[in-house]
Amino acid sequence: MQIPIFTVDAFTSQPFSGNPAAVCLLENDLDEDLHQKIATEMNLSETAFIRKLRPGDDFTKSSCFGLRWFTPANEVPLCGHATLAASAVLFHVQKNTNSVLTFVTLSGELKARQVEDRIVLDLPLYLTYPQAAVGDMIVQDLRYSPDTKKLLVRLSDAYERSVLEELQVNAQRFLSAEKTGKVKGLILTLKGNSSGKHKGHDFYSRYFAPWYGVLEDPVTGSAHAVLSSYWSEQLGKKEMLAFQCSRRGGELKISLRNDGRVDIAGQIAIVLKGNLTF
Protein backbone atom coordinates (compact mmCIF):
# COMPACT_ATOMS: atom_id res chain seq x y z
CA MET A 1 0.00 0.00 0.00
CA GLN A 2 1.14 3.55 -0.76
CA ILE A 3 -0.24 6.66 0.94
CA PRO A 4 0.77 10.19 -0.13
CA ILE A 5 2.29 12.02 2.83
CA PHE A 6 3.49 15.56 3.38
CA THR A 7 5.22 17.49 6.14
CA VAL A 8 3.99 21.06 6.53
CA ASP A 9 5.40 23.68 8.91
CA ALA A 10 2.38 25.60 10.18
CA PHE A 11 2.06 29.18 11.45
CA THR A 12 5.26 30.24 9.71
CA SER A 13 6.46 31.14 6.22
CA GLN A 14 9.96 29.81 6.94
CA PRO A 15 10.88 26.14 6.60
CA PHE A 16 12.02 24.45 9.81
CA SER A 17 10.16 26.82 12.11
CA GLY A 18 6.53 26.95 13.23
CA ASN A 19 4.90 23.62 14.05
CA PRO A 20 5.45 20.63 11.73
CA ALA A 21 2.57 18.29 11.01
CA ALA A 22 2.40 15.23 8.81
CA VAL A 23 -0.58 15.03 6.44
CA CYS A 24 -1.82 11.79 4.84
CA LEU A 25 -4.24 11.71 1.91
CA LEU A 26 -6.46 8.62 2.17
CA GLU A 27 -7.93 7.45 -1.12
CA ASN A 28 -9.51 4.47 0.67
CA ASP A 29 -10.45 3.50 4.20
CA LEU A 30 -7.49 2.78 6.44
CA ASP A 31 -7.46 0.08 9.11
CA GLU A 32 -8.16 1.77 12.45
CA ASP A 33 -4.90 0.71 14.10
CA LEU A 34 -2.82 2.01 11.20
CA HIS A 35 -3.71 5.62 12.00
CA GLN A 36 -1.91 5.40 15.32
CA LYS A 37 0.97 3.34 13.93
CA ILE A 38 1.63 5.91 11.21
CA ALA A 39 1.44 8.82 13.69
CA THR A 40 3.89 7.04 15.99
CA GLU A 41 6.20 6.38 13.04
CA MET A 42 6.11 10.04 11.96
CA ASN A 43 6.82 11.10 15.58
CA LEU A 44 5.59 14.67 15.10
CA SER A 45 3.26 16.36 17.55
CA GLU A 46 0.43 15.66 15.10
CA THR A 47 -0.33 13.59 12.03
CA ALA A 48 -3.49 14.51 10.11
CA PHE A 49 -5.50 12.07 8.00
CA ILE A 50 -7.72 13.53 5.27
CA ARG A 51 -10.33 11.10 3.99
CA LYS A 52 -12.96 11.24 1.28
CA LEU A 53 -16.53 11.11 2.56
CA ARG A 54 -18.18 9.73 -0.58
CA PRO A 55 -17.01 7.37 -3.37
CA GLY A 56 -17.04 10.08 -6.03
CA ASP A 57 -15.09 12.65 -4.02
CA ASP A 58 -11.92 14.21 -5.41
CA PHE A 59 -9.12 15.96 -3.52
CA THR A 60 -8.99 18.65 -6.23
CA LYS A 61 -12.70 19.32 -6.75
CA SER A 62 -14.58 18.32 -3.58
CA SER A 63 -15.08 20.84 -0.78
CA CYS A 64 -15.83 18.60 2.22
CA PHE A 65 -13.59 15.95 3.76
CA GLY A 66 -13.18 13.94 6.93
CA LEU A 67 -10.23 14.89 9.12
CA ARG A 68 -8.64 13.15 12.13
CA TRP A 69 -5.56 14.01 14.18
CA PHE A 70 -3.18 11.70 16.03
CA THR A 71 -0.21 12.42 18.29
CA PRO A 72 2.45 9.71 18.66
CA ALA A 73 0.40 8.45 21.64
CA ASN A 74 -3.30 8.84 20.80
CA GLU A 75 -6.07 10.56 18.85
CA VAL A 76 -7.02 14.11 19.85
CA PRO A 77 -10.36 15.93 19.45
CA LEU A 78 -8.94 19.12 17.92
CA CYS A 79 -5.67 20.28 16.36
CA GLY A 80 -5.33 23.70 14.77
CA HIS A 81 -1.86 23.48 13.25
CA ALA A 82 -2.52 20.10 11.62
CA THR A 83 -5.79 21.49 10.20
CA LEU A 84 -3.80 24.38 8.75
CA ALA A 85 -1.34 21.85 7.33
CA ALA A 86 -4.13 19.71 5.86
CA SER A 87 -5.69 22.78 4.22
CA ALA A 88 -2.30 23.73 2.76
CA VAL A 89 -1.91 20.31 1.13
CA LEU A 90 -5.36 20.56 -0.46
CA PHE A 91 -5.00 24.19 -1.56
CA HIS A 92 -1.34 24.25 -2.61
CA VAL A 93 -0.44 20.68 -3.57
CA GLN A 94 -3.76 19.26 -4.79
CA LYS A 95 -4.74 22.68 -6.20
CA ASN A 96 -8.23 22.39 -4.77
CA THR A 97 -10.48 24.80 -6.65
CA ASN A 98 -12.89 25.66 -3.83
CA SER A 99 -12.72 28.95 -1.96
CA VAL A 100 -13.73 27.29 1.33
CA LEU A 101 -12.97 23.78 2.57
CA THR A 102 -15.03 22.03 5.24
CA PHE A 103 -13.63 19.32 7.51
CA VAL A 104 -15.85 16.93 9.44
CA THR A 105 -14.06 16.26 12.74
CA LEU A 106 -14.52 15.20 16.35
CA SER A 107 -14.97 18.92 17.12
CA GLY A 108 -17.70 19.39 14.54
CA GLU A 109 -17.32 21.07 11.17
CA LEU A 110 -14.23 23.26 10.75
CA LYS A 111 -13.73 25.53 7.75
CA ALA A 112 -10.61 26.84 6.02
CA ARG A 113 -10.21 29.56 3.43
CA GLN A 114 -7.32 31.39 1.77
CA VAL A 115 -6.84 35.11 2.44
CA GLU A 116 -3.78 36.62 0.76
CA ASP A 117 -0.71 34.71 2.00
CA ARG A 118 -2.47 33.03 4.92
CA ILE A 119 -4.97 30.26 5.49
CA VAL A 120 -7.78 31.19 7.87
CA LEU A 121 -9.30 28.52 10.09
CA ASP A 122 -12.81 28.82 11.52
CA LEU A 123 -12.52 27.14 14.95
CA PRO A 124 -14.67 26.87 18.07
CA LEU A 125 -14.04 29.51 20.73
CA TYR A 126 -13.63 28.07 24.21
CA LEU A 127 -14.35 30.00 27.40
CA THR A 128 -12.23 29.85 30.54
CA TYR A 129 -13.28 30.08 34.17
CA PRO A 130 -11.34 31.40 37.20
CA GLN A 131 -9.83 28.67 39.38
CA ALA A 132 -8.47 30.58 42.37
CA ALA A 133 -7.66 34.03 43.69
CA VAL A 134 -4.13 34.42 42.34
CA GLY A 135 -2.04 37.54 42.37
CA ASP A 136 1.54 36.90 43.44
CA MET A 137 4.73 37.94 41.68
CA ILE A 138 4.77 34.88 39.45
CA VAL A 139 1.18 33.96 38.53
CA GLN A 140 -1.32 36.71 37.82
CA ASP A 141 -4.32 34.62 36.81
CA LEU A 142 -5.40 30.98 36.64
CA ARG A 143 -8.20 29.76 34.37
CA TYR A 144 -9.64 26.43 33.27
CA SER A 145 -11.38 25.47 30.03
CA PRO A 146 -13.67 22.49 30.74
CA ASP A 147 -14.49 21.98 27.06
CA THR A 148 -10.83 21.39 26.16
CA LYS A 149 -9.45 20.33 29.56
CA LYS A 150 -6.79 23.00 29.26
CA LEU A 151 -5.39 24.91 32.24
CA LEU A 152 -4.36 28.50 31.48
CA VAL A 153 -1.68 30.11 33.66
CA ARG A 154 -1.06 33.81 33.11
CA LEU A 155 2.33 34.99 34.29
CA SER A 156 2.79 38.39 35.90
CA ASP A 157 2.72 41.43 33.61
CA ALA A 158 6.02 42.43 35.20
CA TYR A 159 7.77 39.75 33.15
CA GLU A 160 9.27 40.23 29.70
CA ARG A 161 8.85 37.78 26.84
CA SER A 162 12.37 36.48 27.47
CA VAL A 163 11.27 35.13 30.86
CA LEU A 164 8.62 32.97 29.21
CA GLU A 165 11.03 31.84 26.49
CA GLU A 166 13.77 30.89 28.92
CA LEU A 167 11.53 29.23 31.50
CA GLN A 168 12.66 25.66 32.13
CA VAL A 169 9.63 23.37 32.25
CA ASN A 170 9.82 19.66 33.08
CA ALA A 171 6.58 18.68 31.41
CA GLN A 172 7.11 14.98 32.15
CA ARG A 173 6.54 15.71 35.84
CA PHE A 174 3.01 16.94 35.07
CA LEU A 175 1.98 13.33 34.48
CA SER A 176 2.58 12.37 38.11
CA ALA A 177 1.15 15.66 39.40
CA GLU A 178 -2.14 15.43 37.48
CA LYS A 179 -3.69 11.97 37.15
CA THR A 180 -7.38 12.83 37.49
CA GLY A 181 -7.94 13.36 33.75
CA LYS A 182 -9.27 16.86 34.36
CA VAL A 183 -6.25 18.53 32.72
CA LYS A 184 -4.94 17.48 29.32
CA GLY A 185 -2.96 20.59 28.42
CA LEU A 186 -1.13 23.43 30.16
CA ILE A 187 -0.96 26.92 28.66
CA LEU A 188 1.53 29.47 29.97
CA THR A 189 0.73 32.95 28.72
CA LEU A 190 2.00 36.51 29.10
CA LYS A 191 0.66 39.90 28.05
CA GLY A 192 2.46 41.43 25.07
CA ASN A 193 4.50 44.61 25.04
CA SER A 194 3.47 47.77 23.24
CA SER A 195 7.11 48.83 23.00
CA GLY A 196 10.57 47.32 22.89
CA LYS A 197 12.18 44.63 20.75
CA HIS A 198 9.08 42.44 20.36
CA LYS A 199 6.35 45.07 20.11
CA GLY A 200 3.25 44.28 18.08
CA HIS A 201 2.11 41.04 19.67
CA ASP A 202 -0.88 41.23 21.99
CA PHE A 203 0.13 38.14 23.96
CA TYR A 204 2.64 35.30 24.11
CA SER A 205 2.28 31.66 25.11
CA ARG A 206 3.83 28.23 25.45
CA TYR A 207 1.89 24.95 25.49
CA PHE A 208 2.57 21.58 27.12
CA ALA A 209 0.58 18.35 26.62
CA PRO A 210 2.49 15.36 28.03
CA TRP A 211 -0.88 13.63 28.62
CA TYR A 212 -1.06 13.33 24.80
CA GLY A 213 2.60 12.37 24.42
CA VAL A 214 3.66 15.93 23.48
CA LEU A 215 6.02 17.49 26.03
CA GLU A 216 5.92 20.93 24.37
CA ASP A 217 3.98 21.78 21.23
CA PRO A 218 5.74 24.43 19.08
CA VAL A 219 2.66 26.37 17.88
CA THR A 220 -0.85 25.34 18.91
CA GLY A 221 -4.05 26.40 17.17
CA SER A 222 -6.33 24.63 19.65
CA ALA A 223 -4.68 26.40 22.59
CA HIS A 224 -5.35 29.71 20.87
CA ALA A 225 -9.04 28.80 20.62
CA VAL A 226 -8.85 29.12 24.42
CA LEU A 227 -6.36 31.99 24.60
CA SER A 228 -8.43 34.07 22.16
CA SER A 229 -11.44 34.22 24.46
CA TYR A 230 -9.30 34.98 27.51
CA TRP A 231 -7.19 37.77 26.00
CA SER A 232 -10.14 39.31 24.15
CA GLU A 233 -11.83 39.70 27.52
CA GLN A 234 -8.67 41.03 29.17
CA LEU A 235 -7.65 43.44 26.41
CA GLY A 236 -11.07 44.44 25.12
CA LYS A 237 -10.05 43.50 21.57
CA LYS A 238 -11.45 41.18 18.90
CA GLU A 239 -8.50 41.45 16.52
CA MET A 240 -5.19 40.25 17.95
CA LEU A 241 -1.74 39.08 16.94
CA ALA A 242 -0.20 36.29 19.01
CA PHE A 243 3.20 34.63 19.16
CA GLN A 244 3.96 31.22 20.64
CA CYS A 245 7.40 31.32 22.23
CA SER A 246 8.65 27.78 21.68
CA ARG A 247 12.11 27.14 20.30
CA ARG A 248 10.68 27.01 16.76
CA GLY A 249 8.13 29.78 17.35
CA GLY A 250 5.12 30.85 15.30
CA GLU A 251 2.67 33.70 14.74
CA LEU A 252 -1.13 33.56 14.73
CA LYS A 253 -3.54 36.25 13.54
CA ILE A 254 -6.78 36.12 15.53
CA SER A 255 -10.24 37.51 14.84
CA LEU A 256 -13.20 36.80 17.14
CA ARG A 257 -16.43 36.38 15.22
CA ASN A 258 -19.96 37.39 16.18
CA ASP A 259 -21.20 33.79 16.02
CA GLY A 260 -19.18 32.57 19.01
CA ARG A 261 -16.30 31.18 16.95
CA VAL A 262 -12.83 32.43 16.13
CA ASP A 263 -10.82 32.83 12.92
CA ILE A 264 -7.17 31.90 13.38
CA ALA A 265 -4.91 32.63 10.43
CA GLY A 266 -1.38 31.48 9.72
CA GLN A 267 1.17 30.97 7.01
CA ILE A 268 2.64 27.62 5.98
CA ALA A 269 5.77 26.08 4.48
CA ILE A 270 5.58 22.66 2.79
CA VAL A 271 8.91 20.91 3.44
CA LEU A 272 8.37 17.28 2.41
CA LYS A 273 6.40 15.34 -0.19
CA GLY A 274 6.48 11.57 -0.50
CA ASN A 275 4.73 8.27 -0.02
CA LEU A 276 4.32 5.88 2.87
CA THR A 277 4.91 2.35 1.61
CA PHE A 278 3.91 -0.73 3.57
Side-chain angles (χ1 to χ4, degrees), residues 177-197:
E178 164 49 26
K179 297 179 180 179
T180 67
K182 183 180 179 182
V183 175
K184 292 292 187 180
L186 175 66
I187 303 168
L188 297 182
T189 189
L190 183 67
K191 185 179 179 181
N193 291 333
S194 57
S195 61
K197 178 182 176 182

Side-chain angles (χ1 to χ4, degrees), residues 26-27 51-58 62-66 104:
L26 302 182
E27 290 282 354
R51 69 185 188 280
K52 297 177 178 179
L53 297 177
R54 293 171 295 273
D57 281 352
D58 184 283
S62 300
S63 62
C64 188
F65 302 93
V104 178

Side-chain angles (χ1 to χ4, degrees), residues 30-70:
L30 188 66
D31 290 347
E32 186 63 26
D33 66 316
L34 285 176
H35 294 81
Q36 189 61 67
K37 288 180 178 179
I38 291 170
T40 303
E41 179 80 7
M42 297 313 299
N43 200 32
L44 297 173
S45 60
E46 225 78 44
T47 297
F49 295 87
I50 308 173
R51 69 185 188 280
K52 297 177 178 179
L53 297 177
R54 293 171 295 273
D57 281 352
D58 184 283
F59 287 125
T60 301
K61 298 177 181 177
S62 300
S63 62
C64 188
F65 302 93
L67 182 63
R68 297 173 71 182
W69 313 276
F70 287 77

Side-chain angles (χ1 to χ4, degrees), residues 28-217:
N28 303 295
D29 289 340
L30 188 66
D31 290 347
E32 186 63 26
D33 66 316
L34 285 176
H35 294 81
Q36 189 61 67
K37 288 180 178 179
I38 291 170
T40 303
E41 179 80 7
M42 297 313 299
N43 200 32
L44 297 173
S45 60
E46 225 78 44
T47 297
F49 295 87
I50 308 173
R51 69 185 188 280
K52 297 177 178 179
L53 297 177
R54 293 171 295 273
D57 281 352
D58 184 283
F59 287 125
T60 301
K61 298 177 181 177
S62 300
S63 62
C64 188
F65 302 93
L67 182 63
R68 297 173 71 182
W69 313 276
F70 287 77
T71 76
N74 43 33
E75 186 172 12
V76 295
L78 177 64
C79 180
H81 89 276
T83 305
L84 192 71
S87 305
V89 168
L90 291 173
F91 280 135
H92 298 306
V93 179
Q94 297 298 310
K95 306 298 183 185
N96 192 284
T97 55
N98 292 281
S99 58
V100 178
L101 297 175
T102 300
F103 297 108
V104 178
T105 78
L106 289 177
S107 291
E109 289 191 354
L110 309 180
K111 297 183 184 299
R113 67 186 190 276
Q114 294 188 92
V115 178
E116 298 176 347
D117 63 343
R118 299 175 190 261
I119 294 173
V120 180
L121 303 179
D122 167 7
L123 300 179
L125 183 67
Y126 296 111
L127 301 179
T128 62
Y129 301 91
Q131 290 304 289
V134 179
D136 61 22
M137 284 294 292
I138 300 174
V139 176
Q140 185 159 326
D141 200 359
L142 186 65
R143 299 289 185 103
Y144 178 67
S145 166
D147 293 321
T148 64
K149 296 186 176 180
K150 288 176 172 46
L151 187 67
L152 183 155
V153 179
R154 176 181 174 180
L155 302 182
S156 169
D157 290 351
Y159 290 137
E160 298 288 335
R161 167 175 158 174
S162 59
V163 172
L164 179 60
E165 290 176 327
E166 296 165 9
L167 193 64
Q168 299 296 310
V169 177
N170 186 347
Q172 194 68 40
R173 294 177 63 182
F174 297 162
L175 294 176
S176 57
E178 164 49 26
K179 297 179 180 179
T180 67
K182 183 180 179 182
V183 175
K184 292 292 187 180
L186 175 66
I187 303 168
L188 297 182
T189 189
L190 183 67
K191 185 179 179 181
N193 291 333
S194 57
S195 61
K197 178 182 176 182
H198 299 297
K199 64 180 180 180
H201 293 113
D202 293 286
F203 63 89
Y204 307 113
S205 67
R206 289 174 67 184
Y207 181 68
F208 307 89
W211 301 274
Y212 283 123
V214 180
L215 294 182
E216 180 169 6
D217 198 35

